[in-house]
Every structure is written in C-alpha cells, then in structure tokens.
C-alpha cells in the first residue's frame, strides 16, 4: 500500500472522530517542558505509534542551553479565609504558573496580587503563563474572578517540585526504502490547550500510525518534543542524523476553523515549500508566509548552522487567534472535521514528496506516437478529453531528466496527481524511465 | 539589398493581393498528409520559391513513427434513393473524412449514420475530420443537412486509394553569409481551409521569394510539410542540419482578423522569443503565450531532445475561433490586408534577427565627444531632439561587448530600429566596432 | 565620533541656515566650466573643507576630449541708442551666453536678434545657455523684455577672454581605516543657479567638513568639478584611484521642495543603490529611477569602461522643474529646511554604507539562550517588546557570514538602524563576531 492508496481509502468522518478523541484524551494532562505530564502523554501516544522515549538528565549541556530541572505539580490552590478553594488546580491546570516553585503560605490579597496573572481585555478567560528559566510562582485566573477577590487573608499552596530529573521526548522512526528522511515535529509541552498543540500531537501520532502501514520511499522521523529546549536537545543529540533530513514539517495549531497557513523554511524554495504551496493551492483559500525567526521549533531547525528544509503547517497561526494561550483554546475550539482535513492535507503533501521523481522520455527527439499504443483510449473513459492528452504531452515534453514531477506540475499549471497518473500510464507503456 | 530596404519598399496593397491570390489558388486542392494534393500544392509554391521536393516512401521509420500509406481520393459521394448526389466531394473536399478507405456500398440511413460527422452547435458548417492512423471511412456534412436526411437506401462511394507511396514535403534553402540557420515552417496538409493554413503557406512562400532577393546574414530554410508526421520526418532526415538552427518560427493561421498571438519556444527566453515580443509590442495589441506542448509543429521542434528556439506566430490561435476546422474557414475568413500585415510582421522580426549584433564603443572610458564630430547635427533634421541624443547615449553606454542591440532596445525601452540607426551612425563615425 | 553620533547631534535648523548661507554666498559668482568663477568658488569652499585645487592646462588630452580654452568675462551689456544698458551682466550673469567670445559692435536689432535667447513659454525668466565647444556669442533675456525692444541701433559689448589657461577643480580626500573609497561628486560649473547646483556644492562641502571630524571606515573623496569635462578630466588623471571606489553619489538639485529622487547606478543592484533605496523608503515619498545615460557626471562614472557603483541623489531631477536652467532657479527656489533634510539623508545613507558589515553568530546551531544573559531586559525599557526581540532573532538567524546588515534589513523588512543596534547589543554580549 502506498500513501496514495491510503489517501483513497481514508474515511474522513471516522478519522476526524479518532483525532478528536486523541485530543480529548490528552487534554486534561498537566504538561510542561519536563515532568510526568510529558511522560503520560507519550505513554498514550505510544498506543498509536511505536515510540522511543528518551530521558535527558537535568544539567545536560545542549549547545548554548542546559536541560533544566524537572518540574512536577501535584496540587495547587488559593483558599479564602473561609477555607474555600477559590483558585483550584484541579479545575484547570492553567491556574498554576507553569514551572512555579513550591509555596505554602498565608498572605494578604495585596501580598498575593503580584503573583496573580489575568487578561483584562479577555476577562472571562484564564491565561496560560510559564516561567521556565526564572524561578517564580504564581496563579492565573480570569480577570472577572480577580475583580471579585476581597481583602483578607489567603492560604496559598503550590505542591510542586523543581528537582534534578530529566527532559523527556518521544521519537518514532519509520524506515523507508532510502535512509533519506522526512522529519515531522510537534511540541508537546503545553498543558490543557487543545489547538496549541494537541491538534499537532494527534495528527503527528496518527500520521505515524498510518505511515507505518504503507511502503515508503523516505524514512520518516516523528518527534514529540517540548518546544525550544526539546528541539535544541534533539538536534544536539542527533547531529549524525541531521544531514539525512531532506524535507520536514512542524505541525502546530491544526484543529481550529481557520484556513491553512504555511510558513516557508528559511531556504524559501525548498521542495517542501513548493510541495506544500502546490497542495494548499488546490485545497482553496490559504496563506503562505515567508520564513521569520519567531514561532515554533522551525526556529531551531532553521538556525543558520542547520538551515534544514523544514516549514510549518498551521491553520490560524499562534498569536493570531484571541483564544491563543488561554483557557478558551479548549475542546470546543477544535473540531473533528478540521483535524481530519489537516491530516488529509499532510498526507497530500507527503504524497507529493514521496512521488516527486524525475523521468526521461524514451523518445527525446519528437513525440512518441501515442495512437499506435492506444494511449488516448487508455486514459479512463475520457478517451478524447483534451485535458488528459495535455497532461501526457506536458509530461513527455518535460521528461528530459531535468524536470521533476513537481517542476512539471508547476510549469504546466496541472495538479501533481494528474501529472503522476500520466507518468504511471506512460511508464507502463515503456515510454518513460526514471532519470538516474 | 537588405531586409530593411525590402521593408521600406514594400507596397502593402499589392502584397496583400498577391498573398490572397496565392491562398485562393491553393484553396480548392484536396490536401492531406500525403498524396497528390500536397504535390500539386508544392508545384504551385515552386512558382514563387525554389523548392526541393522530397518523397519519403511509405513504411520509412522516422523516430517512433512510420511514414503512412499514401492516400488519394478521386471522388466521393452519397446518393439518395433517387440517385441524387446529396453529399458531394466535388462541392467541398471537406465532405470526405480525410484518409477514408475506399468504399462503395448501399446501406440504410441507420447504417450510414455512424459514418456521418456534423457540428450540432454550428449547424451550417461542415466539419473537417481526419483518421490518419485508424482505418475508417466517413462523410462530413452540416448538421442542418443531416436533419433533412430521410430513411431509405443510400449509395455510398469513396473512390480513394490507400497504398504504398510516399510522403511529400518541400524545402527551400537560401544561403546567407553564415551557415547558421533561421527555420521557417508551415503545415500544408489541410484541404480547403484558408486560414489554417494556406495563410501560413502563402506567407512562407512569399518570404522565400523576397528573401531570395536580399543579402542575408543567416541562411534560411523554409519547410512546407504535413503537420506532425512531416516535421518528424524532416527532423529524422535532417539531424546534421538541426544544430545550425539559431532561430525559428512556425507560421499558422495568419490571415484572420484577430490580433497577433506569439507562442514562445520551450526555452521561453530565446532571442526569437524576445525579438517577436519586441516587434509585436510596437505593432499594438497582441498576445504572448508561454510554450505548451500542444499546437502545430513547434511540438516536435521543441521536443526535449531538440529543444530548438522555435516559436509560433499566429493571429487567433487554433481552436480559439469558431470557424477553426470547419467549412467556414474559407476565402471570406481571410483578407489581403491581414495577410499583408502578417507578412510585414514576419519581415520586421527577421530584420531584428538579422541585425542583432553586439558592439564595442571605441571609447569605453567616458563618453566620446560627439560635438566635435558633428553627430548631433548628423541625426536628420532633429538636430536637437533629445530622443535621438538619448538613443546615441544608450548605445554608447551599453556598447560594452556584452549587450546586443536587442538587449539595448529592451533595457532602454527604445525601438530596435532606432537603436540600429544610431549604431549605423556611430559606426560610420568610427565610434563603434563589432564585438568579436 | 562616528557618523551615527554626528547624526544624533545634528541641529537641523542651524545646519539648514549654514547650508543656505553657503548657497547664498556662492550665488552671485559667474561660474563656467573654466575660469576665475570656479577658482573663487573653490576658494570659498576651502573655508569649509580641505581642498586640493587642480589646474589642468588647456589643450590637455583627456580620453576623447581636450581641455578647452579658459573663459573669463568682466562685463557684458547691450546699450540702446540712448546709451542705456538695457541688458546688463552686472544685474544677472545669466544674461551672457556662457563661453561667449569677446564682441564690441554696433548693430541693428535685426542683426542682434540671432544672438538673443529667450523662453517664449516662460516669458518672465532669463534662460541659462552655454556654447562651450562652438565659438559664438549671445545674450539671454526674458521674452517679455525682448518684446519691448525697438528697432534702432544697439551697442553690444562682451568683455570676455577665451584663451589658453586651465580647467580648475577641487578634490578633498578624507582618509579612513580602509583605502577603499566613497566618492561624492558635484558639478560647480553653473553660474547664478541655486538649486542646480549650489545646493549640491553646499551639501558636499558640509559633508566634507562633518566627515572630517569623525572616525571613518572608508576613505572619502569629494569632487568639486565642472560637469562632463570635469569628471572626464578627473577620471583621466585618476585611473589608479578608480579601482578603490566602492560606492559613490553624485549630488545635484537638492534644495528644492520636491521629494527625493534616486537614480540608480548602471549596475542597478550595487550596495549604494540598495542603501539609498532603503534609506529613502524610511524617509517617505520618493522616486527611484533606473539608470539612463543622460544627466550629470554619473554618465562618465558609469561609462562602460568604469561602470562604477555611483548613483545620483536629487530632489526634483533636472529638466522636470520649470525653473530648471532659468533665472527662477534662484535663492527663493531653495530653502534651508530642504537643504538640511537632503544633508541628513546623505548622512543616513553614508551611515548605512559605513556600517554594512557581515557577522557570524557564535551559535550557528540553534539559538543562543538569551534569557540567561538578560538580553531581553537589556533592550531599553521595552523589555518585552516583540519588535526588539524580533530584531535580535532576525540578526541571529541571518548572521551566517553570508548576509550583511543591509541584507538582513532588506529580508526582514526592519530598519537598518534597528538591525545595527541589535548587532551592537549581541556583539557586546559576545554572541556575534565579524565575518572574515
């Protein structure tokens, strides 16, 4: 089975349900860049896809960075003077400032206030905040709730630990015919946020599951890593692998209702850039952004010393939807249909990558005589359709060993799929050979 | 005499009449890709231009193709039960399906119907149909006539022959100073269709006649060939000639009232492409199409193994006028004025090609002093016209041995003719030399 | 002190006054391509900037040209029959055709008429006319005055001399760290015309004065030369210097109220071209023109044998304002504010040129950890401003030894100044080194 067969057999409804269930299953877990939340997440992803789970000890030097202490939190709350939990980690793990140091104290509201984070402009939502590299503690809550807090004494508790441990990430390697690799990466460090990035995690996990069933030209490497420190750690530990990466995608924010946005690799004209643009153009409205050094782990993959051909596929990009990094990025913000469509777009892109080969027509001088081979007739029922004849003529004309299928699709304005079907037909008739 | 002198002396009215008469003279002949119609056509073209006529035997292998049997038709008709010729080859040679096998039979209308071809959407016109490579017979007629046919017995006769013979084409070689060649090609295989392509045949023939009278930088090769199989046959038999071809044009559909359309060579940026675009821009409204592997014999000239710098000049391109391949492409569809203007455009293009040389200013460092040479004054009456001074300054500034005259015209936005006149003036004053 | 410090300390009002006073001081002098007017002009420029004054004897061969005889004029007038000076050189030096041969004659109006030049369409203004290379004499006057002239006898006097002497030009060389040079050139040959080109002279002189006070990366060469023959003479005498010129600007017409116009060098993509376009884009409305071989001394600097990276900065270009080459190009036509803004634009451009270096991030693989170095905080008060963080990330991402600061600014869409400040910060933190 090939990716093409897989695409043809895909039931979008079923797939959408599976992806959404995966997001919903992972949603309650309190994740961070280290700790048991990541481990539990990877344990569940492992049900879908074979995963090596790596533990990198705190203090390990990775390029200019150091793997931080491991953070875990068991409980966190603020109680009012009547002993009621008015802010409660058990209701939402966003309430605790991610990477908060342990604290257990009584204090006045004024003493507490500098540790409380809200979004005055979005007063109903709890913000998501982190303090990975500066020791601190705090609580996040809705601005509306903050307004209701009365003076008086509060009991503050964060039952967390920040201790030597390890950074955990998952890696799935699916060998293909070639040791050349396609890299798929998603960040797994955000707690209860659905679009950012359980959408990416669910899609990457299912890609791994599906790709495991098909014959692959490239080998695939799927990374489930904490953002920034995770990609830096992986790159530092995987330098021998890096030169094999031919194409790559960072997957993030793929479950919301927005149109697709593709952010190009730093190279700007890599095959992955052209393949994604080609596929998205056929899928309808979309946006293409030039590379910029802000965003997700493409920042590290595209740092100058690596400059990998890795772009990022999203729907609405980070920071451009109000729900971004708030409690409103919840299970209602993502939908089975959009998750399934994102998954299908990924498969369509990989289908291009897998099939983008270069051919030579066996008749370089003048067209071959198609009539005597019954080829016009062979093209489905549309024996006399000029479209199909045009595809065949384009392929024969550009099959000079210099133009890949994607080149042909781009120059002719035809769809990659059409070009590929014509190539298959012509190859079956002995009219094409692969260029060496 | 040069092409420039020729252009200056051209009387468009006389020329238009000559071209139109040539079209009208050739119109009644029943042509096909082989046979006596082609021979008779070449015999008449030979009155205008010296032509080698080649006969290539049926069965000759030419690349992936085989020269077909020769087809000739003497008469063809369908008679009704009263013995009246209701479809009659003598009225229009389009009535017979081109390459019909011989037939002489009586049959019912229902038996006849699968052999009748009409255009339901253009009910007054007879379509032009062929069946070169699948043995078949048939008649073409107007849809309106088909509707009048009554049940009953019909007598069907096609007095044709399909036998070993040869494929005939004409070739005219006009030697110039250089053995580098300009190729002009037109297809001569269509029966009574005026625009497609007696317009091209008449213009090519007259180009040959006129070019025979002038001093030429390039050698010119004019081909009068059946479409597809003719160019394939010529290419297969002329491989040693092919590397000498520096520029080329396929001429087709040049007599209708549409604006010029130039279809670029596969290279897209060949000198012929740039020269034609430059000339058409000055002639007014026109269209430029990128290369595509459909159309006339540019398909073969631009096949990957040749990839010749050959574009196609047309007015309304094939398939974009309703009269295309119907009886309405008749002598009313083309006009002397449009034929003459097409001829003039061809000459203007060849004038660019002939004169596109590269010069070196003898004063590479700083401008030469034009005043002391009286050059401002020398430029016609417009002694102080900034336009003429600008042309001179552009030529001097870009005459660095790297820019051809066409380069200079393109960069400066000036007309090629203006640039050339400035070059002549400066060369006469010893300020330019041709770059080696 | 650097150019940047200089820019920061500039008082535009004071500077505008100084530039305007310089223009006003030089305005009354009768200049030409040779003679005492040029000498007196250079004597005054020398108060601002150290100048070598060169005298090149008449008759010296400079490439295709010959240094002309030296022209001087003491007085010139036309007297009517009552002995009244009706045209008087003492009122405006534009009245005398520049380079007029001496004349002292009585003649009728009809005899005089061929020697009178006016602007019928701009009847109140006196035109500026020259006859450098054809011996002739004449007077320029307003068309309105011409209309009042009555028949009768006139006394004509031009007390001029046209004799072997020399061509005079000034050159200021300001050594910098490198012997690579920046060329600044202005023409000093026009008599009482303020915008064309005392504006350019005043700005060049003050640039010299200010650059003399700062540390320079490049050496600077300022030329105060007569148009055309001056640049040709300088180039002919300075060929060993020419290969050191890395960037250059011709300054002309910089005091009027129009927006900036930059005319690119013949190369079109030289660093000076990109630097000027980058700076002007930030200054607001402006025009960018492609190179053309007409205009001022860029014609010679960009002749094919030199092809120097020299563009031209103007406001409204020559010939595009009606006051051009008339008495209306006077001290009211230029303003202190526009002169000062032009000067500031020149400094901004030179600031880019001086600082356009190429760096290597010391962390080629993955981003450095900025947090641990307190860099976010270090960037002024805007510790969390995404803009500043973005600038830093862009610099780090493109500091690969292949991208200059100007490249980074262009690709990121950021301002050169911002990029440079980020570079300074990162270099201070040891995160960047200059590429070798």
């Amino acid at each position: 089975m090939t990716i093409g067969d897989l695409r043809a057999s895909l039931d979008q409804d079923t797939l959408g349900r599976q992806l959404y269930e995966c997001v919903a299953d992972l949603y309650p877990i309190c994740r961070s860049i280290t700790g048991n939340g990541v481990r539990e997440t990877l344990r569940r992803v492992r049900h879908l896809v074979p995963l090596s789970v790596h533990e990198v000890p705190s203090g390990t030097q990775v390029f200019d960075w150091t793997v931080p202490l491991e953070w875990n939190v068991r409980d966190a709350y603020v109680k009012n003077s009547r002993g009621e939990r008015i802010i409660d980690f058990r209701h939402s793990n966003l309430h605790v400032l991610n990477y908060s140091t342990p604290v257990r104290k009584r204090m006045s509201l004024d003493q507490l206030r500098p540790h409380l984070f809200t979004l005055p402009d979005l007063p109903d939502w709890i913000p998501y905040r982190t303090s990975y590299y500066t020791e601190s503690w705090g609580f996040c809550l809705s601005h509306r709730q903050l307004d209701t807090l009365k003076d008086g004494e509060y009991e503050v508790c964060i039952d967390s630990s920040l201790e030597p441990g390890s950074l955990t990430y998952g890696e799935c390697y699916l060998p293909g015919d070639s040791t050349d690799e396609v890299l798929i990466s998603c960040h797994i460090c955000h707690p209860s946020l659905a679009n950012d990035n359980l959408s990416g995690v669910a899609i990457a996990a299912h890609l791994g599951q599906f790709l495991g069933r098909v014959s692959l030209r490239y080998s695939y490497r799927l990374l489930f890593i904490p953002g920034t420190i995770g990609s830096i750690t992986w790159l530092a530990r995987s330098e021998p692998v890096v030169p094999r990466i031919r194409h790559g995608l960072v997957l993030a924010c793929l479950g919301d209702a927005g149109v697709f946005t593709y952010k190009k690799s730093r190279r700007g004209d890599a095959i992955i850039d052209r393949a994604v643009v080609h596929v998205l153009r056929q899928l309808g409205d979309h946006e293409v952004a030039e590379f910029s050094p802000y965003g997700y782990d493409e920042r590290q993959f595209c740092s100058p010393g690596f400059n990998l051909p890795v772009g990022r596929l999203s729907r609405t990009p980070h920071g451009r939807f109000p729900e971004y990094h708030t409690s409103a990025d919840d299970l209602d913000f993502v939908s089975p249909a959009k998750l399934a469509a994102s998954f299908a777009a990924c498969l369509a892109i990989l289908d291009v990558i897998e099939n983008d080969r270069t051919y030579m027509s066996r008749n370089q001088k003048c067209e071959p005589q198609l009539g005597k081979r019954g080829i016009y007739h062979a093209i489905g029922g549309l024996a006399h359709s000029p479209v199909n004849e045009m595809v065949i003529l384009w392929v024969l004309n550009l099959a000079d060993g210099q133009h890949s299928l994607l080149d042909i699709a781009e120059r002719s304005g035809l769809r990659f799929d059409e070009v590929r079907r014509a190539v298959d037909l012509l190859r079956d008739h002995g009219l094409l050979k692969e260029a060496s």
Side-chain angles (χ1 to χ4, degrees), chain A:
Chain A
M1 191 160 72
T2 66
I3 291 185
D5 302 331
L6 188 60
R7 291 174 66 201
S9 70
L10 223 56
D11 173 17
Q12 295 262 102
D13 285 350
T14 309
L15 180 70
R17 265 197 309 277
Q18 288 168 352
L19 289 164
Y20 188 84
E21 274 162 22
C22 177
V23 169
D25 177 50
L26 298 172
Y27 183 72
I29 301 170
C30 182
R31 277 165 295 267
S32 183
I33 53 173
T34 61
N36 292 325
V38 173
R39 284 188 196 95
E40 175 60 18
T41 299
L42 294 177
R43 196 186 63 77
R44 297 190 195 185
V45 168
R46 225 174 188 168
H47 294 163
L48 295 163
V49 70
L51 220 56
S52 325
V53 173
H54 300 261
E55 298 281 353
V56 185
S58 299
T60 305
Q61 188 70 18
V62 286
F63 297 124
D64 191 50
W65 300 62
T66 308
V67 173
L69 296 176
E70 180 177 328
W71 183 69
N72 284 293
V73 57
R74 282 157 297 276
D75 195 6
Y77 55 82
V78 175
K79 282 184 181 167
N80 63 14
S81 54
R82 291 197 301 277
E84 297 162 341
R85 288 185 167 225
I86 56 164
I87 304 176
D88 188 351
F89 172 72
R90 295 176 308 196
H91 290 162
S92 167
N93 54 41
L94 298 181
H95 276 312
V96 68
L97 174 75
N98 207 293
Y99 253 69
S100 279
T101 48
V103 63
R104 186 175 294 266
K105 266 192 195 162
R106 291 181 169 274
M107 57 181 71
S108 71
L109 181 57
D110 281 349
Q111 290 169 311
L112 179 56
R113 235 180 246 282
H115 295 274
L116 299 182
F117 302 95
T118 70
L119 295 167
D121 293 339
L122 299 164
D124 291 315
W125 298 348
I126 308 166
Y128 160 56
R129 287 283 155 78
T130 68
S131 186
Y132 300 140
Y133 298 102
T134 310
E135 293 210 354
S136 179
W137 64 266
F139 286 89
C140 301
L141 68 163
S142 77
H143 199 72
R144 217 172 287 287
Q145 186 182 10
L146 177 64
D147 283 344
T148 67
L149 296 191
K150 297 196 170 61
D151 285 342
E153 202 182 52
Y154 288 89
E155 182 190 338
V156 172
C157 165
I158 298 180
D159 178 12
S160 67
S161 57
L162 191 57
E163 292 165 357
S166 61
L167 176 149
T168 313
Y169 68 84
E171 187 171 11
C172 165
Y173 181 73
L174 301 169
D177 294 341
S178 161
T179 55
D180 289 347
E181 294 191 11
V182 177
L183 183 76
I184 309 279
S185 177
C186 60
H187 63 282
I188 51 154
C189 50
H190 287 22
S192 291
L193 298 169
N195 198 36
D196 180 15
N197 186 33
L198 295 176
S199 66
V201 173
I203 288 170
H206 283 77
L207 278 175
Q209 186 187 43
F210 279 64
L211 293 177
R213 296 180 199 153
V214 301
S215 308
L216 296 168
R217 170 187 179 186
Y218 288 104
S219 297
Y220 283 71
R221 190 174 298 270
L222 295 99
L223 301 182
F224 299 84
I225 52 178
T228 305
I229 186 66
S231 51
I232 293 168
T233 300
W234 181 81
L235 283 162
R237 291 164 49 100
S238 313
E239 289 210 54
V241 164
V242 169
R244 293 188 217 143
I245 297 172
R246 293 281 165 277
H247 317 283
L249 276 180
V250 169
L251 302 181
C253 301
L254 282 163
D256 67 286
V259 301
F260 286 114
T261 302
Y262 178 66
K263 174 181 165 180
K264 287 186 186 175
S265 76
R266 184 177 183 270
R267 300 181 184 187
D269 61 353
I271 290 171
I272 185 70
D273 299 323
R274 294 167 49 205
V276 177
V277 169
H278 184 82
V279 166
L280 294 189
R281 202 168 279 162
Q282 284 154 35
L283 294 178
D285 277 356
H286 66 277
E287 290 185 33
V288 176
E290 293 302 317
F291 177 77
S292 79
Y294 195 70
Y296 293 107
D297 289 315
E298 68 275 12
R299 290 163 64 161
Q300 314 308 329
F301 298 129
C302 296
S303 56
F306 292 118
N307 196 24
L308 292 174
V310 174
R312 190 189 77 216
L313 188 67
S314 300
R315 287 178 174 274
T316 313
H318 60 95
R320 296 229 330 250
F321 51 96
E323 296 83 356
Y324 174 69
H325 278 197
T326 77
S327 56
D329 180 2
D330 61 13
L331 291 172
D332 289 336
F333 187 61
V334 299
S335 71
K338 295 301 178 182
L339 289 164
S342 297
F343 183 89
C346 290
L347 275 193
I349 293 161
L350 298 180
D351 205 8
V352 170
I353 293 293
E354 285 275 313
N355 289 287
D356 185 34
R357 298 169 189 272
T358 301
Y359 292 87
M360 287 283 282
S361 168
R362 291 189 190 271
N363 298 277
Q364 290 291 302
K365 295 181 174 174
C366 297
E367 296 168 9
Q369 194 186 354
L370 299 174
K372 73 181 179 191
R373 295 179 174 86
I375 284 189
Y376 289 141
H377 213 74
I379 325 161
L382 300 164
H384 299 290
S385 154
V387 175
N388 283 315
E389 189 184 343
M390 279 309 294
V391 185
I392 283 176
L393 293 175
W394 270 116
V395 169
L396 289 171
N397 189 270
L398 294 178
D400 57 2
Q402 308 295 320
H403 293 82
S404 74
L405 269 59
L406 186 53
D407 292 330
I408 296 174
E410 287 178 339
R411 174 154 180 184
S412 66
L414 298 166
R415 287 186 293 107
F416 187 89
D417 281 354
E418 291 178 295
V419 170
R420 212 181 110 207
R421 254 181 282 127
V423 164
D424 288 347
L425 177 74
L426 291 166
R427 209 183 37 203
D428 292 350
H429 280 83
L431 290 169
L432 291 182
K433 59 179 172 191
E434 196 168 346
S436 55

